[in-house]
Amino acid sequence: MQANIRHQVSPYLVFFIIYNSQVGVGILGFQRIIAAKAGYDAWIGVLLAGCLVQAFIWIAYKLLGKADGDIIDVHINLFGNFLGKFLSFFIIIYYWLASISVLLGFIEIVQVWMFPTIPSWILSIPLLLLMYYCVSGGFRTIVGMSFLSFVFPQILLIYLYIFPLKIAHFANLLPIMNHSFMEIMDSIKSSMYTLAGTEALLMYYPFIRDPKASKKFAHLGVLFTTLLYTVSSIVSFTFYSENQLKTTIWPELSLTKIIKLSFLERFEYLYISMYLIIVTSLLGLLFWCSSRGLKKIFCRKQKYTLLILCILSVVLSQFITETFKEMLDKMVTQMNLYIFYGYIPLLLLVFTFLKRGNQNG
Amino acid sequence: MKIKNGDKENSSASKHCWIERLSKSNDFVHEHTSLRENEPFWLSYYRTLISSDILHKDVLPFLQDRLSLEELKSKIPVQEIILSNDAEEIIQSIMNGSIAIQIHQLDEDCLLINIANSKFRDVSMPMLESSALGPQVGFIEELDTNINLIRKRLPVPELLVHEMKVGALSKTRVAVIYMDGIADPENVNTVIQRINDIQYDHIQDSSYISSMIEDNSNSLFPQSISTERTDRVAAGLTEGKIIIAVDGSPNLVILPVTLMESFIAMEDYSYSWIIGNFFRLLRLLSVFISGMVTPMYVAIMTYHYELIPARLLETLVGSRATVPFPPFLEALFLELMIEMVKEAGIRLPFKIGQSLGVVGGIVIGQAVVEAGLTSNVLLILVGLGTLASYTSPIYKFSNTIRFLKFPTIFLAQWFGLFGVFLTFQFIQVHLLRLTSLGRPYISQYPIRTTSFQDLWVRLPFSMQKENPKNLRPQKKRKSTGTGKNPEPMNDFYE
């Protein structure tokens, strides 16, 4: 079930794919959401959520390693052609909804911060043209984008934390652990949306040249993003007062307003524009996953499935309202939680049990 | 193809017809050497193709006596003599500057003596890729001289030349040159195969070949480097690259290449490695600036003037207070104007070029600002951007960069900074998709350790240990080791 070796990528690149699949628009605004209940202790929740994702990576590698293919192969292997494809369809729909959620999130940010009057479709059409061009370049192009988006601008953006840290109040974080267990649990749940994305592994696993060797890079990737999110939340917590944080929708973006150089201020314009690179690489990965999934399920060329997805996304991005967007985000979070942290572990159990039975029989 | 078939039919139908065919042209000579009917030789040649000097000195003296063609062949002191009776070969050979000698006019056998008159300019300095330091030898329009220049730099039998004829009408000689045992045989075969598959009437320059065999001929980026520097070609060969040389073209084509190689000047190796690196990275930066600076100006002045601190904004706005156009039109006019000046500068006759260049560059530029049609700041930025694009030693590449400015300016007008980075991302995806001979064109992905020995940066020679991995060279390691004294330099190292 492995993909053609010419389309495969080196194991170390999994680090960048994992990093890229997790970092999207979520990081710009998740600080407010996780702090809603757990307050300044929420960063502990982020770390714990990171541990959960690590566990998911372990499970996914176990499952896919046993089946030696992607999630659709696992499903077909286990439940037969029809039921297997039917179940996979839900996962593919999840990928697509996640990409729509990222796309809409980014368009919303651009509309709020840069061009208040621009209609959504004017932004979504060039973005989706870019998506089509990128995905039609194959998986190696997608991975290349992930890698390049890490080199520029991600490393630069991490460096920018120096500016708010200069005036940080670390006393804000103290006392540590003054919130109840349930409140911390709540912050774990709400950071899952931002940390989501690793589930794309279920689709690109056959494209890794040496999956066993890549495992440690996947774990490192998750570690990197978990630390990135933790640092990002700590920077926000030490910068804003608790009440201010509650009313700031995109704390990370508002932070960049304080950056002042002799030739540049109001950095957020540049920040959002540069974020385009990160967002488009993530969208590329998600669109690749969903169009490839549909290709395998319906046995159509990826060209057509991708085209249909792109057109549907443009239409959706135009007719969507604020309430629908919130509903979509909630739905993606719920689906992510139930499918990948409830269903997939179960699937691993069933798969291990059934396959062992088969071997004995 | 049609003409070629026609040739074959003719030649097979009547073998002696070739004289008739060639005599249609006035510069074709077909004559006796002697007036006595019983012992003449028949000579046929193009007056304009041969060197009459050699004909009179080295050939005619031997034609006084009655000799057979074989005897003549061993006597005449010219290197390239063939005995042939194939009409097609005779025509080809005469077309390349041979004279044909027959004993009787209707004989099939011909002695073909190549005394071609080849006049080419002397080997001179490279015109496009000049450098302050390093060798100053450039290729010229003659293939044999070019190969000779390469062989002088690499006098080893591993240097192989594979020659082909391309072009139904031009019959251009094309040579594929590579190092046996270093270059990947798969690459060599691909190149030879692709050149063999070319169907075209005439090949005038190596660029014809390179754009025909490129992986993606719709791309703006040159997927091969065309160079006139002998040192660049020789260095490429030792790393396992393949060279295509075309007769009549002073530019040789190097394949496969990566994007980053367009930033390498051979001069980098003449300096200390630290200074060499500084200039290499400077070139990278200036090409980046060249592509971005005008679009950034348009984006910021149209949408995001908040980005600029108040004191700097004063200068910017003040300089364009009298300009009646929006920044987009202002930038577009100025960019187009600079392109026009540049284009005219190339076409201008040599004698008036310099004086008109001053008019174009300085007088118009000054006048445009004084007339209030454009701002001082933009003039500086555009001038800087245009100059910066020429820091890349590869001429084709700097053209690409300046062309890419225009779509970026349009998107900057449409989407502001968002548009600038949208084009950036489009270009990035395009580069990721590009390949040169099936190898990735972009050198930062996948990462190779060899890219940090001599591509992105140039380490000292002793640390450049491997040949670039993306070429899949058969010889993986360079033979390194500098002739330094292993003795400790001073008391500290004892």
Side-chain angles (χ1 to χ4, degrees):
Chain A
M1 296 284 185
Q2 288 290 313
N4 186 337
I5 190 152
R6 287 188 54 233
H7 305 150
Q8 286 182 329
V9 296
S10 307
Y12 75 90
L13 287 167
V14 172
F15 174 86
F16 301 102
I17 314 174
I18 292 275
Y19 141 76
N20 186 238
S21 61
Q22 287 190 285
V23 176
V25 283
I27 193 173
L28 303 178
F30 80 109
Q31 295 89 342
R32 176 181 59 98
I33 303 163
I34 58 169
K37 282 216 177 112
Y40 283 159
D41 274 343
W43 60 273
I44 301 166
V46 179
L47 276 181
L48 293 176
C51 297
L52 257 179
V53 179
Q54 297 280 15
F56 170 75
I57 294 278
W58 186 81
I59 290 169
Y61 263 94
K62 267 266 178 288
L63 179 66
L64 297 166
K66 275 184 206 291
D68 196 27
D70 54 24
I71 186 72
I72 300 176
D73 296 325
V74 173
H75 274 147
I76 291 175
N77 204 334
L78 210 53
F79 303 115
N81 200 20
F82 181 74
L83 193 62
K85 281 183 174 175
F86 182 74
L87 284 170
S88 314
F89 187 67
F90 281 103
I91 292 181
I92 303 308
I93 289 294
Y94 165 79
Y95 289 134
W96 183 55
L97 287 181
S99 61
I100 294 286
S101 152
V102 172
L103 180 71
L104 293 179
F106 188 59
I107 288 179
E108 190 189 2
I109 288 174
V110 174
Q111 282 174 334
V112 169
W113 288 79
M114 291 174 84
F115 304 106
T117 53
I118 204 165
S120 301
W121 62 272
I122 289 194
L123 289 173
S124 61
I125 285 179
L127 281 176
L128 287 162
L129 276 177
L130 179 61
M131 276 318 76
Y132 186 85
Y133 190 50
C134 164
V135 174
S136 59
F139 187 63
R140 289 178 64 98
T141 309
I142 309 275
V143 181
M145 275 176 70
S146 309
F147 174 69
L148 292 181
S149 79
F150 181 81
V151 177
F152 175 82
Q154 188 59 58
I155 290 177
L156 178 75
L157 298 187
I158 293 172
Y159 171 76
L160 290 179
Y161 284 138
I162 287 179
F163 291 92
L165 279 177
K166 272 186 203 160
I167 47 171
H169 294 274
F170 282 99
N172 278 0
L173 296 178
L174 298 173
I176 295 174
M177 293 299 279
N178 62 342
H179 288 82
S180 74
F181 179 70
M182 283 319 286
E183 283 166 337
I184 300 270
M185 281 303 284
D186 191 74
S187 78
I188 294 180
K189 210 177 140 196
S190 39
S191 29
M192 284 318 282
Y193 172 71
T194 28
L195 279 170
T198 40
E199 52 279 358
L201 175 69
L202 296 177
M203 281 310 293
Y204 64 73
Y205 181 84
F207 285 80
I208 305 169
R209 186 162 296 151
D210 185 2
K212 275 215 177 88
S214 76
K215 209 171 163 180
K216 65 169 181 278
F217 292 106
H219 285 297
L220 272 178
V222 175
L223 183 68
F224 173 80
T225 35
T226 312
L227 289 180
L228 178 69
Y229 281 117
T230 315
V231 168
S232 151
S233 52
I234 287 178
V235 168
S236 292
F237 294 165
T238 53
F239 184 81
Y240 296 103
S241 74
E242 209 153 342
N243 281 328
Q244 203 180 1
L245 192 60
K246 268 182 198 149
T247 54
T248 316
I249 300 177
W250 289 286
E252 181 103 346
L253 273 179
S254 304
L255 272 180
T256 56
K257 280 188 172 188
I258 64 157
I259 297 171
K260 227 178 206 157
L261 303 168
S262 60
F263 55 94
L264 203 70
E265 42 183 47
R266 296 294 296 276
F267 199 78
E268 72 270 18
Y269 291 107
L270 208 55
Y271 192 99
I272 294 167
S273 310
M274 287 197 292
Y275 225 79
L276 172 101
I277 296 173
I278 295 178
V279 168
T280 45
S281 351
L282 169 61
L283 280 177
L285 184 67
L286 290 174
F287 268 100
W288 179 84
C289 287
S290 43
S291 59
R292 186 177 162 78
L294 288 184
K295 165 195 173 183
K296 281 189 96 168
I297 291 173
F298 294 111
C299 303
R300 292 282 182 277
K301 275 191 179 161
Q302 198 166 353
K303 197 162 78 177
Y304 302 120
T305 59
L306 179 62
L307 207 61
I308 289 168
L309 285 180
C310 283
I311 292 170
L312 272 180
S313 313
V314 173
V315 173
L316 255 176
S317 71
Q318 182 55 25
F319 294 109
I320 220 148
T321 56
E322 190 64 25
T323 44
F324 188 83
K325 200 192 152 288
E326 263 168 35
M327 209 176 77
L328 181 76
D329 283 355
K330 207 172 243 170
M331 201 155 81
V332 170
T333 320
Q334 300 282 340
M335 273 177 94
N336 173 54
L337 221 56
Y338 292 130
I339 295 182
F340 300 107
Y341 296 88
Y343 171 67
I344 294 288
L346 267 179
L347 196 66
L348 175 64
L349 282 180
V350 174
F351 196 84
T352 324
F353 183 70
L354 276 185
K355 285 294 142 182
R356 186 178 292 157
N358 281 356
Q359 273 162 13
N360 289 345
Chain B
M1 275 314 279
K2 214 175 174 185
I3 291 160
K4 216 175 167 185
N5 286 339
D7 280 356
K8 276 197 178 140
E9 273 163 32
N10 270 352
S11 63
S12 57
S14 51
K15 280 208 164 177
H16 308 291
C17 224
W18 62 267
I19 296 176
E20 223 165 89
R21 264 182 75 197
L22 298 181
S23 320
K24 281 181 194 158
S25 183
N26 287 347
D27 59 347
F28 183 70
V29 181
H30 182 64
E31 60 180 17
H32 302 264
T33 47
S34 150
L35 288 175
R36 278 170 291 169
E37 261 307 308
N38 57 339
E39 46 184 59
F41 283 102
W42 283 90
L43 295 186
S44 342
Y45 55 89
Y46 275 101
R47 182 163 44 78
T48 43
L49 280 177
I50 60 145
S51 141
S52 52
D53 221 30
I54 304 176
L55 177 67
H56 285 280
K57 262 199 250 159
D58 297 338
V59 181
L60 287 185
F62 296 95
L63 301 184
Q64 300 303 323
D65 314 314
R66 189 52 146 152
L67 293 167
S68 74
L69 289 181
E70 276 84 4
E71 282 168 321
L72 270 180
K73 189 180 176 187
S74 58
K75 274 198 171 164
I76 292 177
V78 175
Q79 203 180 2
E80 209 181 315
I81 303 181
I82 324 165
L83 203 58
S84 170
N85 59 4
D86 175 21
E88 194 59 32
E89 193 187 352
I90 294 168
I91 291 179
Q92 259 323 307
S93 184
I94 291 178
M95 294 311 304
N96 287 334
S98 294
I99 58 169
I101 300 177
Q102 292 163 296
I103 295 175
H104 300 107
Q105 200 176 4
L106 294 177
D107 273 358
E108 275 190 21
D109 288 331
C110 260
L111 193 64
L112 298 163
I113 306 169
N114 192 340
I115 51 169
N117 176 17
S118 48
K119 281 213 179 87
F120 288 99
R121 66 182 169 106
D122 289 333
V123 172
S124 61
M125 279 172 67
M127 305 290 268
L128 283 177
E129 296 177 76
S130 48
S131 71
L133 286 177
Q136 304 287 344
V137 187
F139 289 114
I140 60 162
E141 281 82 358
E142 203 208 354
L143 181 63
D144 292 332
T145 313
N146 290 349
I147 295 178
N148 167 278
L149 286 172
I150 300 173
R151 278 214 186 274
K152 270 188 190 157
R153 284 186 179 268
L154 299 168
V156 284
E158 281 80 27
L159 183 73
L160 299 188
V161 177
H162 181 101
E163 250 191 66
M164 285 168 276
K165 286 243 163 87
V166 185
L169 294 180
S170 70
K171 310 274 184 211
T172 313
R173 288 165 67 208
V174 175
V176 176
I177 307 166
Y178 58 95
M179 292 290 273
D180 191 27
I182 300 181
D184 183 11
E186 196 191 315
N187 283 353
V188 178
N189 289 338
T190 318
V191 170
I192 292 174
Q193 164 96 47
R194 286 188 190 173
I195 293 179
N196 271 332
D197 288 347
I198 291 177
Q199 299 279 339
Y200 201 67
D201 276 351
H202 60 114
I203 304 290
Q204 305 296 356
D205 186 52
S206 58
S207 312
Y208 282 53
I209 301 274
S210 65
S211 57
M212 281 172 194
I213 67 170
E214 264 169 6
D215 295 15
N216 178 357
S217 41
N218 297 326
S219 174
L220 294 173
F221 288 86
Q223 294 137 60
S224 57
I225 280 180
S226 97
T227 181
E228 47 181 351
R229 289 192 69 90
T230 51
D231 46 356
R232 189 186 280 273
V233 163
L237 279 170
T238 58
E239 285 181 339
K241 294 193 181 110
I242 297 161
I243 311 293
I244 303 171
V246 176
D247 199 21
S249 165
N251 297 313
L252 272 62
V253 176
I254 306 181
L255 277 167
V257 293
T258 56
L259 176 70
M260 191 55 202
E261 272 162 70
S262 301
F263 296 96
I264 297 179
M266 292 314 283
E267 220 175 334
D268 294 350
Y269 302 94
S270 308
Y271 299 120
S272 143
W273 67 277
I274 300 171
I275 296 177
N277 275 334
F278 171 70
F279 287 125
R280 190 174 285 186
L281 296 177
L282 186 74
R283 258 172 249 133
L284 192 67
L285 180 74
S286 40
V287 164
F288 199 71
I289 286 179
S290 165
M292 292 294 245
V293 74
T294 330
M296 282 285 201
Y297 175 86
V298 172
I300 290 174
M301 296 311 280
T302 312
Y303 294 106
H304 321 290
Y305 49 85
E306 301 97 322
L307 265 173
I308 307 291
R311 292 189 59 191
L312 185 58
L313 194 65
E314 250 169 52
T315 327
L316 283 180
V317 172
S319 84
R320 66 179 306 274
T322 55
V323 179
F325 312 118
F328 167 66
L329 284 182
E330 188 193 359
L332 202 64
F333 283 156
L334 209 54
E335 284 286 355
L336 280 176
M337 203 185 88
I338 291 244
E339 286 303 302
M340 278 178 217
V341 170
K342 180 229 128 194
E343 189 59 25
I346 299 175
R347 311 286 155 231
L348 274 177
F350 192 68
K351 280 185 181 162
I352 57 168
Q354 268 185 340
S355 48
L356 273 184
V358 175
V359 172
I362 301 170
V363 178
I364 295 182
Q366 194 69 35
V368 161
V369 173
E370 271 174 23
L373 293 176
T374 179
S375 67
N376 268 320
V377 176
L378 184 64
L379 190 69
I380 296 169
L381 294 180
V382 169
L384 186 77
T386 310
L387 268 184
S389 73
Y390 283 106
T391 53
S392 162
I394 306 301
Y395 184 69
K396 278 186 184 173
F397 184 71
S398 54
N399 276 335
T400 304
I401 294 300
R402 268 174 303 112
F403 178 81
L404 279 176
K405 250 189 234 181
F406 291 98
T408 322
I409 290 176
F410 274 96
L411 270 142
Q413 163 66 15
W414 200 7
F415 290 127
L417 277 177
F418 185 85
V420 174
F421 280 92
L422 193 68
T423 12
F424 179 81
Q425 188 70 336
F426 259 110
I427 294 170
Q428 203 160 272
V429 173
H430 175 68
L431 288 174
L432 278 169
R433 295 180 56 152
L434 267 191
T435 52
S436 170
L437 272 190
R439 313 276 178 232
Y441 182 61
I442 202 164
S443 49
Q444 51 268 60
Y445 161 80
I447 326 167
R448 307 256 183 231
T449 45
T450 51
S451 319
F452 295 97
Q453 292 178 10
D454 184 19
L455 189 66
W456 285 90
V457 291
R458 150 176 133 56
L459 293 185
F461 288 113
S462 57
M463 284 167 83
Q464 296 175 13
K465 286 187 178 148
E466 289 161 289
N467 280 323
K469 269 191 200 130
N470 61 327
L471 302 172
R472 304 264 182 285
Q474 284 181 302
K475 181 172 167 255
K476 296 227 161 49
R477 298 186 73 79
K478 289 178 182 171
S479 11
T480 41
T482 44
K484 263 191 228 153
N485 196 351
E487 297 271 304
M489 287 142 126
N490 55 30
D491 56 326
F492 181 80
Y493 292 100
E494 268 173 7

